[in-house]
Amino acid sequence: MAKLPDGNGVYTYADVLSIIYHEGMFKKKGWAPPTTWADLMRPELKGTVVIPPVNNTYGLYTLVELARMNGGSVDNIDPGFVALKKVAPNVVDWTTTFAKIGTLMESETASIAVFGNASGWEIKGKGIPVNVVIPQPAYISPTVAGIVKGAPNPAGAEALLNWLIGEKVLTYRAERFGNTPMNKDVKVSDQAKDRVLQGDQLNNLVKLDYAKVLAHRGDWNARFEREVATIK
């Protein structure tokens, strides 16, 4: 799955769309830990949810998943916007950065957020009592590398590409950042195994059809600002 369809590049490592939640707040209030995307709509979470806007990768994936949950898809995004409008009153901030999420959770302004799993582990590494769950279906947010057509040094580019997808680099990214390696031969420590997906788990990751997404993304971004971002 790491190979691009046209053969011109590969996914090197990936983050996975996840729910990051404040374990301390959930325990204090007696809330059940989140397990599904539908948990974002729980009434007790009103005013404490963080979701990125649709012009952000993770916000886009959230829109697509909300559409899927309600009978839609990339080809029928309307159910996603209907659901996003319903969840909007729960949202305290439509932020695009995990640093802001960390700040909001540290102050206990936010209890739950949607973002990449690696960012969730980074927040936890800062001493903020969060946990990370990856509900199904799990959406992949990959980092892509390829060789530019007509590049002046294709041999050097190929060497760099092989290095980027090699065991040394991907093991480091998994251990340090919690990035999921797209090379199935990479082995990681027991600690990192709890943070990354490996082996057969990679087969179940959902990849968006970006050809379809890009045809509509400008309209979706404008629609979000017009119909959703203004809801309090």
Side-chain angles (χ1 to χ4, degrees):
M1 108 172 260
K3 298 176 182 177
L4 295 184
D6 57 12
N8 290 329
V10 294
Y11 295 165
T12 57
Y13 57 86
D15 290 335
V16 182
L17 188 67
S18 72
I19 288 177
I20 305 163
Y21 71 99
H22 194 298
E23 284 189 303
M25 290 181 69
F26 271 70
K27 289 178 182 177
K28 185 191 307 181
K29 295 180 180 293
W31 296 339
T35 57
T36 72
W37 298 116
D39 284 319
L40 297 171
M41 298 186 178
R42 283 161 50 178
E44 67 267 31
L45 302 180
K46 185 174 182 179
T48 67
V49 177
V50 177
I51 300 176
V54 170
N55 63 7
N56 173 276
T57 298
Y58 302 119
L60 169 67
Y61 290 179
T62 303
L63 172 66
V64 172
E65 171 55 18
L66 290 176
R68 186 205 65 81
M69 286 170 53
N70 293 279
S73 66
V74 171
D75 297 310
N76 176 22
I77 206 67
D78 286 348
F81 274 103
V82 171
L84 206 54
K85 290 175 188 178
K86 289 180 180 178
V87 78
N90 282 10
V91 175
V92 65
D93 202 323
W94 303 95
T95 186
T96 60
T97 71
F98 78 89
K100 181 71 175 294
I101 292 173
T103 299
L104 291 170
M105 288 199 167
E106 187 173 34
S107 66
E108 298 192 5
T109 302
S111 67
I112 189 170
V114 176
F115 220 74
N117 64 324
S119 296
W121 296 122
E122 194 73 9
I123 292 170
K124 187 177 181 69
K126 302 296 184 183
I128 301 171
V130 304
N131 200 4
V132 181
V133 294
I134 300 174
Q136 296 299 315
Y139 290 81
I140 182 176
S141 176
T143 293
V144 179
I147 300 174
V148 177
K149 185 176 181 179
N153 184 7
E158 184 173 330
L160 175 61
L161 191 60
N162 283 327
W163 180 77
L164 287 171
I165 62 175
E167 182 178 357
K168 183 176 182 179
V169 171
L170 294 182
T171 299
Y172 175 78
R173 297 223 53 114
E175 299 284 347
R176 170 58 186 85
F177 300 110
N179 296 133
T180 289
M182 299 307 295
N183 180 339
K184 288 186 177 180
D185 293 331
V186 173
K187 302 293 188 295
V188 298
S189 68
D190 289 341
Q191 180 181 1
K193 283 180 181 177
D194 293 334
R195 301 185 174 193
V196 304
L197 304 184
Q198 287 193 292
D200 291 340
Q201 292 176 310
L202 300 177
N203 298 330
N204 298 322
L205 291 173
V206 177
K207 296 189 292 184
L208 291 191
D209 186 337
Y210 267 94
K212 292 182 178 179
V213 168
L214 292 176
H216 301 288
R217 194 165 186 186
D219 292 337
W220 294 352
N221 292 345
R223 185 173 176 182
F224 171 82
E225 293 297 331
R226 183 176 65 251
E227 299 181 13
V228 181
T230 56
I231 298 175
K232 301 297 184 183

